Amino acid sequence: IGREECDINFPSDVYMSGSHAKLELVADGMLTLNDLESKNGSYVRVKNSHKLQHGDYLFLGRELLRVEMTG
């Protein structure tokens, strides 16, 4: 996820880094979000590691994203 040359692009969001964050599907269908040392960070309403679940919201740059998991 980022502003340029990513699988999910937000080219007009000046608060998003070129390569901002990475979503990765790991064991047991768990989805993780890894910030790629972006300038403004990535935020989920948690303080520690968190298994992303259907309906969770992520705030990256000026974008509010909702996690939608389909079977």
Side-chain angles (χ1 to χ4, degrees), residues 3 10-18 20 39-40 61-63:
R3 196 175 62 245
F10 297 95
S12 61
D13 188 341
V14 297
Y15 294 98
M16 185 145 337
S17 296
H20 196 95
K39 184 176 179 181
N40 292 315
R62 297 179 109 183
E63 312 305 319

Side-chain angles (χ1 to χ4, degrees), residues 49-67:
S49 295
H50 176 70
K51 178 181 176 182
L52 294 174
Q53 298 178 17
H54 179 78
D56 282 351
Y57 287 92
L58 309 170
F59 188 56
L60 297 97
R62 297 179 109 183
E63 312 305 319
L64 180 63
L65 308 174
R66 184 173 188 265
V67 175

Side-chain angles (χ1 to χ4, degrees), residues 17-40:
S17 296
S19 292
H20 196 95
K22 179 180 179 180
L23 290 171
E24 187 173 9
L25 188 60
V26 294
D28 299 325
M30 187 170 119
L31 186 65
T32 62
L33 174 75
N34 297 299
D35 187 86
L36 301 176
E37 299 182 20
S38 65
K39 184 176 179 181
N40 292 315

